[in-house]
Amino acid sequence: MSAEVILETKNLTKLYGDFVAVDGLNLTVRRGEVFGLLGPNGAGKTTTILMLMGLTEPTDGEVRVLDLDPVRQPLSVKARVGYLPERVGFYDNLTARENLTYIARLNGLKRQEAHERVAETLAQIGLEHAADRRVGTFSRGMRQRLGVADVLIKRPQLIIMDEPTQGLDPEAAREFLDIIRRLKETGITILLSSHLLYQVQAVCDRVGLFHRGQMVLEGTVPELARQVLGGAYRIRLEAHGDDLSAVLREIPGVLAVHHDAPAIYDLEAESDLRAEAAAAVVRAGGRLFSLNIEESSLDEVYAHYFQQYQREQEEVEHAAV
Amino acid sequence: MPQSDVTREREGSPWTGLWAVVAKEMADHLTSVRMLILEVLILLTATGTVYAATQNIRNTGNDKFIFLKLFTTSQDPIPAFVGFLGFLVPLTAIALAFDAVNGEFNQRTLSRVLAQPIYRDALLFGKFLAGLFTLALVLTTIWLLIIGLGILRLGIPPSGEEVARGLWFLLLTIFYGGIWLALAMVFSIVFRQPATAALASIAVWLFFTVFWGIISDLLAQTIHPIRIGLPEEQLAQMQLALALTRISPNTLYLEAIIATLNPTIRSLGFVLPMQLQGALLGAPLPLGQSLMLSWPNLTGLVAATILLFALGYVLFQRQEVRA
Ligand SMILES: Nc1ncnc2c1ncn2[C@@H]1O[C@H](COP(=O)(O)OP(=O)(O)O)[C@@H](O)[C@H]1O
Ligand SMILES: [Mg+2]
């Protein structure tokens, strides 16, 4: 938990005119982590990333990336951090190899070194068969993989990807997430943004939920679930017999029981209490038909958070009236 | 609100990565179909005009600067080579730069390139240099071709002074292209659509070629009207009109090449560009003095290029990288 801090922002703020795109962001990412910056479109994810890369100047606050200041030392930051922009583009009239060679040369690699590095990276990402094809003929999934190769050319210590799975079909998205997992195994720190929470929750060690330029929630997925949903584990059981709600509520660690349909009980629990629930049903003379655990998804966490948020907003409006 | 990198202390050289950009852009230019078409066009023009010119020169007999006449002699109905250059050079320069920056935006490659350890300075200047080098390469090739053709057709080699004047003419032509390159580049920053940028550049060229002469006359007539008909009045009006026409890069260029290619020109006073091949009497001016004569025009061309580039630089620095 106390690994070296790779990226840190303090009160990071960006205004466009009067519009607050990023509002006092505090973010810490440690070495080896995969951090997910999640939130709906327009939440301020891209703006944050541009400030991390030194491509846009912060209005206020501090940024440290690999202990460097992206505003003062943009070249050092950009030499060490790989950035895969949202809907990344390539020179369609050039081949994959030519596209990557240009990037290698911009990173100061000598001709020979650049050729070797490009070949190596293309192999790593499984695109060597298409190396000499014009990128104009590539599919969306291949382009996204080429984007990863592009980022790996400079052998980065930190990779920042903006909406990397956007526009990919489910198969391509899964392949892409596999690539991210493999990168993580090599020890690279990754920050990725997405507005499709379910796609990335599986690869992220920690996530931050973004809303209107602010990070409203931060932590591991189960942590967030506990915070927002009350229970991190949802157990659904089907049992016939008398109303078992009271019995189930008695089990230590059960936070709530919902009984909305006949014979169906939904439990919110602090831990995996399937065995205890089964025992309780049997003891009470009920007949157990099925017992399933659902881990809460980020989508749920998010939806729940927004319901709360909207309720609060409405209350504020009511109070104002 | 504008984010300018100009005022702040920055680490490293602004030109880091410049040569990588130049190499990539030049390779693009030299393999593009667009350039191929223009090269063929220039080649045809050069061969056609020079062929016609040698025909004419052989008929009219000897001259001390016979090789320079290759560039300036016209044979009805074909105008002289320099006449063609007046619009082929701007056309080529515009074709090289009208999608320089907006093309990167439209292909969504700009943020990827700027995420590499380079400054925007290197990208913009690299693109400019690549355009200029490409232009220089094409023009030098054509120049060599014309000289070669001349040697073949006329059967004599050029004199040292002719070569020197010819090279100066080449240099002037390249710098004349520089202005249009910088202009097209500015428009490629201002307009997101390459077609709009190309049209805007051509509109400016057309304005200076066709309308600016008329406008200068009209302006001169309003500012210095001829009331009584005194010679001083007429002179003042003509001088003003001339000064105004020199705002046009076309005029600057044509004046400079007249002085260079026609050694008998002694001043850049009231000589109209169209009288290029007119046989003015008098002894030819020495090389050094001809160069001195066109020197202000060259500095004018270069200064305008630098101004345009600086304008483009400022606009580009203020742009957001995201498309
Ligand atoms: N150049 C700009 N000028 C004004 N507003 C902008 C500019 N760029 C982005 N914004 C606004 O800032 C907000 C955050 O945008 P962005 O960071 O792109 O969000 P996300 O990446 O999370 O979708 C959006 O509401 C957007 O409209
Ligand atoms: Mg975005």
Side-chain angles (χ1 to χ4, degrees), chain A residues 14 16 47 57 73-76 78 87 89-91 107 150 154, chain B residues 3 8 11 104 107-109 112-118 320 322:
Chain A
K14 176 73 185 182
Y16 287 112
T47 310
E57 260 183 66
Q73 299 151 292
L75 295 191
S76 304
K78 292 194 278 187
R87 289 196 283 144
F90 292 92
Y91 302 106
N107 277 282
D150 183 88
K154 63 172 84 157
Chain B
Q3 299 133 27
R8 205 182 43 226
E11 92 181 303
E104 300 271 353
Q107 291 197 82
R108 311 189 65 92
T109 44
R112 197 167 60 88
V113 168
L114 290 181
Q116 311 312 322
I118 61 163
E320 277 276 333
R322 72 176 113 195

PDB file of all heavy atoms in Angstrom, chain A residues 14 16 47 57 73-76 78 87 89-91 107 150 154, chain B residues 3 8 11 104 107-109 112-118 320 322:
ATOM      1  N   LYS A  14      -9.008  23.355 -13.345  1.00  0.00           N
ATOM      2  CA  LYS A  14      -8.930  23.914 -14.693  1.00  0.00           C
ATOM      3  C   LYS A  14     -10.230  24.645 -15.014  1.00  0.00           C
ATOM      4  O   LYS A  14     -11.310  24.082 -14.912  1.00  0.00           O
ATOM      5  CB  LYS A  14      -8.729  22.788 -15.713  1.00  0.00           C
ATOM      6  CG  LYS A  14      -8.724  23.265 -17.152  1.00  0.00           C
ATOM      7  CD  LYS A  14      -7.458  24.009 -17.482  1.00  0.00           C
ATOM      8  CE  LYS A  14      -7.499  24.590 -18.878  1.00  0.00           C
ATOM      9  NZ  LYS A  14      -6.250  25.267 -19.215  1.00  0.00           N
ATOM     10  N   TYR A  16     -12.300  26.814 -17.961  1.00  0.00           N
ATOM     11  CA  TYR A  16     -12.418  27.314 -19.333  1.00  0.00           C
ATOM     12  C   TYR A  16     -13.342  28.516 -19.255  1.00  0.00           C
ATOM     13  O   TYR A  16     -14.547  28.344 -19.167  1.00  0.00           O
ATOM     14  CB  TYR A  16     -12.990  26.251 -20.275  1.00  0.00           C
ATOM     15  CG  TYR A  16     -12.015  25.149 -20.603  1.00  0.00           C
ATOM     16  CD1 TYR A  16     -12.209  23.854 -20.149  1.00  0.00           C
ATOM     17  CD2 TYR A  16     -10.895  25.414 -21.384  1.00  0.00           C
ATOM     18  CE1 TYR A  16     -11.308  22.849 -20.468  1.00  0.00           C
ATOM     19  CE2 TYR A  16      -9.999  24.418 -21.699  1.00  0.00           C
ATOM     20  CZ  TYR A  16     -10.203  23.141 -21.242  1.00  0.00           C
ATOM     21  OH  TYR A  16      -9.308  22.148 -21.560  1.00  0.00           O
ATOM     22  N   THR A  47      -9.647  16.433 -19.639  1.00  0.00           N
ATOM     23  CA  THR A  47      -8.977  17.657 -19.202  1.00  0.00           C
ATOM     24  C   THR A  47      -7.915  17.332 -18.152  1.00  0.00           C
ATOM     25  O   THR A  47      -6.794  17.846 -18.198  1.00  0.00           O
ATOM     26  CB  THR A  47     -10.005  18.643 -18.631  1.00  0.00           C
ATOM     27  OG1 THR A  47     -11.081  18.771 -19.560  1.00  0.00           O
ATOM     28  CG2 THR A  47      -9.385  19.992 -18.380  1.00  0.00           C
ATOM     29  N   GLU A  57      -2.368  23.780 -19.566  1.00  0.00           N
ATOM     30  CA  GLU A  57      -1.882  24.304 -18.289  1.00  0.00           C
ATOM     31  C   GLU A  57      -2.990  24.331 -17.250  1.00  0.00           C
ATOM     32  O   GLU A  57      -4.087  24.786 -17.534  1.00  0.00           O
ATOM     33  CB  GLU A  57      -1.375  25.726 -18.489  1.00  0.00           C
ATOM     34  CG  GLU A  57       0.118  25.795 -18.607  1.00  0.00           C
ATOM     35  CD  GLU A  57       0.581  27.224 -18.740  1.00  0.00           C
ATOM     36  OE1 GLU A  57       0.422  27.982 -17.769  1.00  0.00           O
ATOM     37  OE2 GLU A  57       1.072  27.571 -19.817  1.00  0.00           O
ATOM     38  N   GLN A  73       8.634  20.943 -16.839  1.00  0.00           N
ATOM     39  CA  GLN A  73       9.505  19.930 -17.457  1.00  0.00           C
ATOM     40  C   GLN A  73       8.720  19.027 -18.395  1.00  0.00           C
ATOM     41  O   GLN A  73       8.749  17.800 -18.254  1.00  0.00           O
ATOM     42  CB  GLN A  73      10.157  19.094 -16.352  1.00  0.00           C
ATOM     43  CG  GLN A  73      11.015  19.904 -15.414  1.00  0.00           C
ATOM     44  CD  GLN A  73      11.064  19.278 -14.030  1.00  0.00           C
ATOM     45  OE1 GLN A  73      10.079  19.254 -13.317  1.00  0.00           O
ATOM     46  NE2 GLN A  73      12.217  18.739 -13.674  1.00  0.00           N
ATOM     47  N   PRO A  74       8.011  19.636 -19.352  1.00  0.00           N
ATOM     48  CA  PRO A  74       7.148  18.804 -20.212  1.00  0.00           C
ATOM     49  C   PRO A  74       7.927  17.751 -20.998  1.00  0.00           C
ATOM     50  O   PRO A  74       7.432  16.647 -21.190  1.00  0.00           O
ATOM     51  CB  PRO A  74       6.487  19.818 -21.152  1.00  0.00           C
ATOM     52  CG  PRO A  74       7.354  21.018 -21.110  1.00  0.00           C
ATOM     53  CD  PRO A  74       7.973  21.043 -19.750  1.00  0.00           C
ATOM     54  N   LEU A  75       9.158  18.078 -21.405  1.00  0.00           N
ATOM     55  CA  LEU A  75       9.904  17.113 -22.217  1.00  0.00           C
ATOM     56  C   LEU A  75      10.262  15.871 -21.400  1.00  0.00           C
ATOM     57  O   LEU A  75      10.115  14.743 -21.872  1.00  0.00           O
ATOM     58  CB  LEU A  75      11.164  17.746 -22.801  1.00  0.00           C
ATOM     59  CG  LEU A  75      10.959  18.886 -23.804  1.00  0.00           C
ATOM     60  CD1 LEU A  75      12.267  19.224 -24.499  1.00  0.00           C
ATOM     61  CD2 LEU A  75       9.897  18.572 -24.823  1.00  0.00           C
ATOM     62  N   SER A  76      10.708  16.084 -20.163  1.00  0.00           N
ATOM     63  CA  SER A  76      11.060  14.941 -19.320  1.00  0.00           C
ATOM     64  C   SER A  76       9.837  14.088 -19.039  1.00  0.00           C
ATOM     65  O   SER A  76       9.904  12.855 -19.050  1.00  0.00           O
ATOM     66  CB  SER A  76      11.646  15.414 -17.991  1.00  0.00           C
ATOM     67  OG  SER A  76      12.736  16.249 -18.229  1.00  0.00           O
ATOM     68  N   LYS A  78       7.102  13.860 -20.895  1.00  0.00           N
ATOM     69  CA  LYS A  78       6.617  13.194 -22.100  1.00  0.00           C
ATOM     70  C   LYS A  78       7.585  12.105 -22.580  1.00  0.00           C
ATOM     71  O   LYS A  78       7.192  11.214 -23.323  1.00  0.00           O
ATOM     72  CB  LYS A  78       6.358  14.222 -23.205  1.00  0.00           C
ATOM     73  CG  LYS A  78       5.173  15.129 -22.834  1.00  0.00           C
ATOM     74  CD  LYS A  78       4.661  15.926 -23.993  1.00  0.00           C
ATOM     75  CE  LYS A  78       5.479  17.152 -24.238  1.00  0.00           C
ATOM     76  NZ  LYS A  78       4.852  18.012 -25.298  1.00  0.00           N
ATOM     77  N   ARG A  87      -9.808   8.148 -28.935  1.00  0.00           N
ATOM     78  CA  ARG A  87      -9.956   7.909 -30.374  1.00  0.00           C
ATOM     79  C   ARG A  87      -8.674   8.292 -31.127  1.00  0.00           C
ATOM     80  O   ARG A  87      -8.653   9.196 -31.958  1.00  0.00           O
ATOM     81  CB  ARG A  87     -11.152   8.687 -30.929  1.00  0.00           C
ATOM     82  CG  ARG A  87     -12.471   8.089 -30.448  1.00  0.00           C
ATOM     83  CD  ARG A  87     -13.629   8.578 -31.263  1.00  0.00           C
ATOM     84  NE  ARG A  87     -13.999   9.930 -30.882  1.00  0.00           N
ATOM     85  CZ  ARG A  87     -14.437  10.860 -31.720  1.00  0.00           C
ATOM     86  NH1 ARG A  87     -14.507  10.607 -32.998  1.00  0.00           N
ATOM     87  NH2 ARG A  87     -14.784  12.038 -31.269  1.00  0.00           N
ATOM     88  N   GLY A  89      -5.520   8.670 -33.500  1.00  0.00           N
ATOM     89  CA  GLY A  89      -5.425   8.637 -34.958  1.00  0.00           C
ATOM     90  C   GLY A  89      -4.010   8.325 -35.420  1.00  0.00           C
ATOM     91  O   GLY A  89      -3.044   8.556 -34.688  1.00  0.00           O
ATOM     92  N   PHE A  90      -3.916   7.775 -36.631  1.00  0.00           N
ATOM     93  CA  PHE A  90      -2.609   7.502 -37.231  1.00  0.00           C
ATOM     94  C   PHE A  90      -2.563   8.116 -38.615  1.00  0.00           C
ATOM     95  O   PHE A  90      -3.588   8.505 -39.160  1.00  0.00           O
ATOM     96  CB  PHE A  90      -2.383   5.989 -37.316  1.00  0.00           C
ATOM     97  CG  PHE A  90      -2.236   5.351 -35.978  1.00  0.00           C
ATOM     98  CD1 PHE A  90      -3.343   4.839 -35.318  1.00  0.00           C
ATOM     99  CD2 PHE A  90      -1.017   5.323 -35.343  1.00  0.00           C
ATOM    100  CE1 PHE A  90      -3.221   4.288 -34.058  1.00  0.00           C
ATOM    101  CE2 PHE A  90      -0.883   4.777 -34.086  1.00  0.00           C
ATOM    102  CZ  PHE A  90      -1.987   4.252 -33.442  1.00  0.00           C
ATOM    103  N   TYR A  91      -1.366   8.167 -39.185  1.00  0.00           N
ATOM    104  CA  TYR A  91      -1.252   8.605 -40.570  1.00  0.00           C
ATOM    105  C   TYR A  91      -1.689   7.438 -41.443  1.00  0.00           C
ATOM    106  O   TYR A  91      -0.954   6.458 -41.580  1.00  0.00           O
ATOM    107  CB  TYR A  91       0.173   9.044 -40.877  1.00  0.00           C
ATOM    108  CG  TYR A  91       0.630  10.159 -39.979  1.00  0.00           C
ATOM    109  CD1 TYR A  91       1.530   9.944 -38.954  1.00  0.00           C
ATOM    110  CD2 TYR A  91       0.111  11.446 -40.141  1.00  0.00           C
ATOM    111  CE1 TYR A  91       1.918  10.970 -38.111  1.00  0.00           C
ATOM    112  CE2 TYR A  91       0.488  12.478 -39.304  1.00  0.00           C
ATOM    113  CZ  TYR A  91       1.400  12.229 -38.293  1.00  0.00           C
ATOM    114  OH  TYR A  91       1.770  13.240 -37.464  1.00  0.00           O
ATOM    115  N   ASN A 107      11.209  10.449 -30.217  1.00  0.00           N
ATOM    116  CA  ASN A 107      11.716  10.183 -28.882  1.00  0.00           C
ATOM    117  C   ASN A 107      13.236  10.124 -28.849  1.00  0.00           C
ATOM    118  O   ASN A 107      13.826   9.696 -27.853  1.00  0.00           O
ATOM    119  CB  ASN A 107      11.123   8.880 -28.343  1.00  0.00           C
ATOM    120  CG  ASN A 107       9.747   9.111 -27.744  1.00  0.00           C
ATOM    121  OD1 ASN A 107       9.626   9.598 -26.632  1.00  0.00           O
ATOM    122  ND2 ASN A 107       8.710   8.795 -28.504  1.00  0.00           N
ATOM    123  N   ASP A 150       2.363   2.096 -29.918  1.00  0.00           N
ATOM    124  CA  ASP A 150       2.838   3.468 -30.032  1.00  0.00           C
ATOM    125  C   ASP A 150       3.291   4.011 -28.676  1.00  0.00           C
ATOM    126  O   ASP A 150       4.305   4.678 -28.553  1.00  0.00           O
ATOM    127  CB  ASP A 150       1.667   4.289 -30.579  1.00  0.00           C
ATOM    128  CG  ASP A 150       2.010   5.722 -30.824  1.00  0.00           C
ATOM    129  OD1 ASP A 150       2.482   6.010 -31.928  1.00  0.00           O
ATOM    130  OD2 ASP A 150       1.836   6.546 -29.912  1.00  0.00           O
ATOM    131  N   LYS A 154       8.418   4.174 -26.272  1.00  0.00           N
ATOM    132  CA  LYS A 154       9.344   4.932 -25.422  1.00  0.00           C
ATOM    133  C   LYS A 154       9.647   4.225 -24.110  1.00  0.00           C
ATOM    134  O   LYS A 154      10.319   4.764 -23.265  1.00  0.00           O
ATOM    135  CB  LYS A 154       8.787   6.345 -25.186  1.00  0.00           C
ATOM    136  CG  LYS A 154       7.468   6.376 -24.446  1.00  0.00           C
ATOM    137  CD  LYS A 154       7.056   7.786 -24.080  1.00  0.00           C
ATOM    138  CE  LYS A 154       6.338   8.489 -25.200  1.00  0.00           C
ATOM    139  NZ  LYS A 154       5.483   9.589 -24.741  1.00  0.00           N
TER     140      LYS A 154
ATOM    141  N   GLN B   3      -3.113  30.017 -23.547  1.00  0.00           N
ATOM    142  CA  GLN B   3      -1.970  29.393 -22.906  1.00  0.00           C
ATOM    143  C   GLN B   3      -0.782  29.509 -23.826  1.00  0.00           C
ATOM    144  O   GLN B   3      -0.676  28.799 -24.800  1.00  0.00           O
ATOM    145  CB  GLN B   3      -2.279  27.922 -22.659  1.00  0.00           C
ATOM    146  CG  GLN B   3      -3.445  27.742 -21.763  1.00  0.00           C
ATOM    147  CD  GLN B   3      -4.375  26.716 -22.356  1.00  0.00           C
ATOM    148  OE1 GLN B   3      -3.969  25.859 -23.092  1.00  0.00           O
ATOM    149  NE2 GLN B   3      -5.633  26.828 -22.026  1.00  0.00           N
ATOM    150  N   ARG B   8       7.312  31.534 -20.586  1.00  0.00           N
ATOM    151  CA  ARG B   8       7.771  30.794 -19.434  1.00  0.00           C
ATOM    152  C   ARG B   8       9.131  30.167 -19.676  1.00  0.00           C
ATOM    153  O   ARG B   8       9.494  29.868 -20.794  1.00  0.00           O
ATOM    154  CB  ARG B   8       6.750  29.707 -19.149  1.00  0.00           C
ATOM    155  CG  ARG B   8       6.734  29.243 -17.741  1.00  0.00           C
ATOM    156  CD  ARG B   8       5.724  28.131 -17.616  1.00  0.00           C
ATOM    157  NE  ARG B   8       5.837  27.223 -18.724  1.00  0.00           N
ATOM    158  CZ  ARG B   8       4.809  26.770 -19.406  1.00  0.00           C
ATOM    159  NH1 ARG B   8       3.617  27.176 -19.130  1.00  0.00           N
ATOM    160  NH2 ARG B   8       4.983  25.921 -20.398  1.00  0.00           N
ATOM    161  N   GLU B  11      12.242  23.803 -20.079  1.00  0.00           N
ATOM    162  CA  GLU B  11      13.425  22.947 -20.087  1.00  0.00           C
ATOM    163  C   GLU B  11      13.742  22.577 -21.534  1.00  0.00           C
ATOM    164  O   GLU B  11      12.846  22.478 -22.375  1.00  0.00           O
ATOM    165  CB  GLU B  11      13.159  21.681 -19.271  1.00  0.00           C
ATOM    166  CG  GLU B  11      12.638  20.592 -20.150  1.00  0.00           C
ATOM    167  CD  GLU B  11      12.308  19.292 -19.495  1.00  0.00           C
ATOM    168  OE1 GLU B  11      13.187  18.713 -18.867  1.00  0.00           O
ATOM    169  OE2 GLU B  11      11.170  18.846 -19.654  1.00  0.00           O
ATOM    170  N   GLU B 104      -3.444  17.312 -39.270  1.00  0.00           N
ATOM    171  CA  GLU B 104      -3.112  16.566 -38.053  1.00  0.00           C
ATOM    172  C   GLU B 104      -4.327  16.499 -37.124  1.00  0.00           C
ATOM    173  O   GLU B 104      -4.581  15.486 -36.477  1.00  0.00           O
ATOM    174  CB  GLU B 104      -1.947  17.228 -37.306  1.00  0.00           C
ATOM    175  CG  GLU B 104      -0.665  17.309 -38.104  1.00  0.00           C
ATOM    176  CD  GLU B 104       0.232  16.081 -37.939  1.00  0.00           C
ATOM    177  OE1 GLU B 104      -0.060  15.210 -37.113  1.00  0.00           O
ATOM    178  OE2 GLU B 104       1.235  16.006 -38.671  1.00  0.00           O
ATOM    179  N   GLN B 107      -6.903  14.039 -38.690  1.00  0.00           N
ATOM    180  CA  GLN B 107      -6.501  12.631 -38.571  1.00  0.00           C
ATOM    181  C   GLN B 107      -6.361  12.225 -37.112  1.00  0.00           C
ATOM    182  O   GLN B 107      -6.025  11.088 -36.823  1.00  0.00           O
ATOM    183  CB  GLN B 107      -5.163  12.399 -39.266  1.00  0.00           C
ATOM    184  CG  GLN B 107      -5.210  12.520 -40.757  1.00  0.00           C
ATOM    185  CD  GLN B 107      -3.975  11.881 -41.378  1.00  0.00           C
ATOM    186  OE1 GLN B 107      -3.887  10.675 -41.566  1.00  0.00           O
ATOM    187  NE2 GLN B 107      -2.999  12.694 -41.699  1.00  0.00           N
ATOM    188  N   ARG B 108      -6.550  13.178 -36.218  1.00  0.00           N
ATOM    189  CA  ARG B 108      -6.430  12.950 -34.769  1.00  0.00           C
ATOM    190  C   ARG B 108      -5.031  12.482 -34.391  1.00  0.00           C
ATOM    191  O   ARG B 108      -4.854  11.707 -33.455  1.00  0.00           O
ATOM    192  CB  ARG B 108      -7.473  11.937 -34.294  1.00  0.00           C
ATOM    193  CG  ARG B 108      -8.882  12.222 -34.774  1.00  0.00           C
ATOM    194  CD  ARG B 108      -9.870  11.327 -34.093  1.00  0.00           C
ATOM    195  NE  ARG B 108      -9.914  11.599 -32.666  1.00  0.00           N
ATOM    196  CZ  ARG B 108     -10.736  12.440 -32.099  1.00  0.00           C
ATOM    197  NH1 ARG B 108     -11.604  13.096 -32.820  1.00  0.00           N
ATOM    198  NH2 ARG B 108     -10.702  12.649 -30.803  1.00  0.00           N
ATOM    199  N   THR B 109      -4.039  12.964 -35.094  1.00  0.00           N
ATOM    200  CA  THR B 109      -2.666  12.565 -34.792  1.00  0.00           C
ATOM    201  C   THR B 109      -1.945  13.616 -33.958  1.00  0.00           C
ATOM    202  O   THR B 109      -0.882  13.342 -33.420  1.00  0.00           O
ATOM    203  CB  THR B 109      -1.864  12.360 -36.091  1.00  0.00           C
ATOM    204  OG1 THR B 109      -2.155  13.441 -36.972  1.00  0.00           O
ATOM    205  CG2 THR B 109      -2.244  11.069 -36.762  1.00  0.00           C
ATOM    206  N   ARG B 112      -1.232  12.778 -30.315  1.00  0.00           N
ATOM    207  CA  ARG B 112      -0.280  11.671 -30.220  1.00  0.00           C
ATOM    208  C   ARG B 112       1.148  12.175 -30.461  1.00  0.00           C
ATOM    209  O   ARG B 112       2.083  11.787 -29.754  1.00  0.00           O
ATOM    210  CB  ARG B 112      -0.644  10.613 -31.265  1.00  0.00           C
ATOM    211  CG  ARG B 112      -0.042   9.257 -31.045  1.00  0.00           C
ATOM    212  CD  ARG B 112      -0.722   8.238 -31.940  1.00  0.00           C
ATOM    213  NE  ARG B 112      -0.583   8.573 -33.340  1.00  0.00           N
ATOM    214  CZ  ARG B 112       0.448   8.184 -34.086  1.00  0.00           C
ATOM    215  NH1 ARG B 112       1.409   7.468 -33.569  1.00  0.00           N
ATOM    216  NH2 ARG B 112       0.509   8.528 -35.352  1.00  0.00           N
ATOM    217  N   VAL B 113       1.302  13.041 -31.430  1.00  0.00           N
ATOM    218  CA  VAL B 113       2.626  13.575 -31.746  1.00  0.00           C
ATOM    219  C   VAL B 113       3.105  14.513 -30.632  1.00  0.00           C
ATOM    220  O   VAL B 113       4.254  14.455 -30.203  1.00  0.00           O
ATOM    221  CB  VAL B 113       2.606  14.304 -33.106  1.00  0.00           C
ATOM    222  CG1 VAL B 113       3.874  15.109 -33.312  1.00  0.00           C
ATOM    223  CG2 VAL B 113       2.427  13.299 -34.229  1.00  0.00           C
ATOM    224  N   LEU B 114       2.199  15.342 -30.130  1.00  0.00           N
ATOM    225  CA  LEU B 114       2.602  16.295 -29.089  1.00  0.00           C
ATOM    226  C   LEU B 114       2.784  15.620 -27.732  1.00  0.00           C
ATOM    227  O   LEU B 114       3.270  16.238 -26.791  1.00  0.00           O
ATOM    228  CB  LEU B 114       1.596  17.441 -28.991  1.00  0.00           C
ATOM    229  CG  LEU B 114       1.619  18.402 -30.184  1.00  0.00           C
ATOM    230  CD1 LEU B 114       0.606  19.513 -29.993  1.00  0.00           C
ATOM    231  CD2 LEU B 114       3.006  18.997 -30.396  1.00  0.00           C
ATOM    232  N   ALA B 115       2.390  14.343 -27.623  1.00  0.00           N
ATOM    233  CA  ALA B 115       2.649  13.610 -26.384  1.00  0.00           C
ATOM    234  C   ALA B 115       4.074  13.062 -26.375  1.00  0.00           C
ATOM    235  O   ALA B 115       4.492  12.437 -25.414  1.00  0.00           O
ATOM    236  CB  ALA B 115       1.646  12.473 -26.226  1.00  0.00           C
ATOM    237  N   GLN B 116       4.808  13.287 -27.466  1.00  0.00           N
ATOM    238  CA  GLN B 116       6.216  12.880 -27.507  1.00  0.00           C
ATOM    239  C   GLN B 116       7.058  14.049 -26.987  1.00  0.00           C
ATOM    240  O   GLN B 116       6.592  15.181 -26.942  1.00  0.00           O
ATOM    241  CB  GLN B 116       6.625  12.511 -28.933  1.00  0.00           C
ATOM    242  CG  GLN B 116       5.665  11.552 -29.624  1.00  0.00           C
ATOM    243  CD  GLN B 116       5.295  10.356 -28.769  1.00  0.00           C
ATOM    244  OE1 GLN B 116       6.130   9.818 -28.053  1.00  0.00           O
ATOM    245  NE2 GLN B 116       4.022   9.954 -28.810  1.00  0.00           N
ATOM    246  N   PRO B 117       8.291  13.759 -26.583  1.00  0.00           N
ATOM    247  CA  PRO B 117       9.101  14.826 -25.994  1.00  0.00           C
ATOM    248  C   PRO B 117       9.574  15.876 -27.012  1.00  0.00           C
ATOM    249  O   PRO B 117      10.763  15.991 -27.300  1.00  0.00           O
ATOM    250  CB  PRO B 117      10.277  14.078 -25.363  1.00  0.00           C
ATOM    251  CG  PRO B 117      10.312  12.757 -26.029  1.00  0.00           C
ATOM    252  CD  PRO B 117       8.942  12.451 -26.488  1.00  0.00           C
ATOM    253  N   ILE B 118       8.630  16.618 -27.571  1.00  0.00           N
ATOM    254  CA  ILE B 118       8.970  17.749 -28.436  1.00  0.00           C
ATOM    255  C   ILE B 118       8.052  18.914 -28.078  1.00  0.00           C
ATOM    256  O   ILE B 118       7.006  18.720 -27.480  1.00  0.00           O
ATOM    257  CB  ILE B 118       8.764  17.419 -29.943  1.00  0.00           C
ATOM    258  CG1 ILE B 118       7.296  17.083 -30.225  1.00  0.00           C
ATOM    259  CG2 ILE B 118       9.654  16.293 -30.393  1.00  0.00           C
ATOM    260  CD1 ILE B 118       6.933  17.150 -31.694  1.00  0.00           C
ATOM    261  N   GLU B 320      -5.985  24.477 -28.412  1.00  0.00           N
ATOM    262  CA  GLU B 320      -6.117  23.273 -27.599  1.00  0.00           C
ATOM    263  C   GLU B 320      -5.705  22.073 -28.441  1.00  0.00           C
ATOM    264  O   GLU B 320      -5.999  22.029 -29.630  1.00  0.00           O
ATOM    265  CB  GLU B 320      -7.581  23.101 -27.191  1.00  0.00           C
ATOM    266  CG  GLU B 320      -7.994  23.909 -25.993  1.00  0.00           C
ATOM    267  CD  GLU B 320      -7.658  23.205 -24.689  1.00  0.00           C
ATOM    268  OE1 GLU B 320      -7.586  21.975 -24.675  1.00  0.00           O
ATOM    269  OE2 GLU B 320      -7.460  23.917 -23.698  1.00  0.00           O
ATOM    270  N   ARG B 322      -6.810  19.012 -28.162  1.00  0.00           N
ATOM    271  CA  ARG B 322      -7.868  18.050 -28.494  1.00  0.00           C
ATOM    272  C   ARG B 322      -8.660  18.546 -29.692  1.00  0.00           C
ATOM    273  O   ARG B 322      -8.877  19.739 -29.864  1.00  0.00           O
ATOM    274  CB  ARG B 322      -8.744  17.777 -27.289  1.00  0.00           C
ATOM    275  CG  ARG B 322      -9.657  18.901 -26.903  1.00  0.00           C
ATOM    276  CD  ARG B 322     -10.547  18.474 -25.761  1.00  0.00           C
ATOM    277  NE  ARG B 322     -10.222  19.221 -24.556  1.00  0.00           N
ATOM    278  CZ  ARG B 322     -10.626  18.862 -23.353  1.00  0.00           C
ATOM    279  NH1 ARG B 322     -11.327  17.782 -23.200  1.00  0.00           N
ATOM    280  NH2 ARG B 322     -10.313  19.597 -22.305  1.00  0.00           N
TER     281      ARG B 322
END
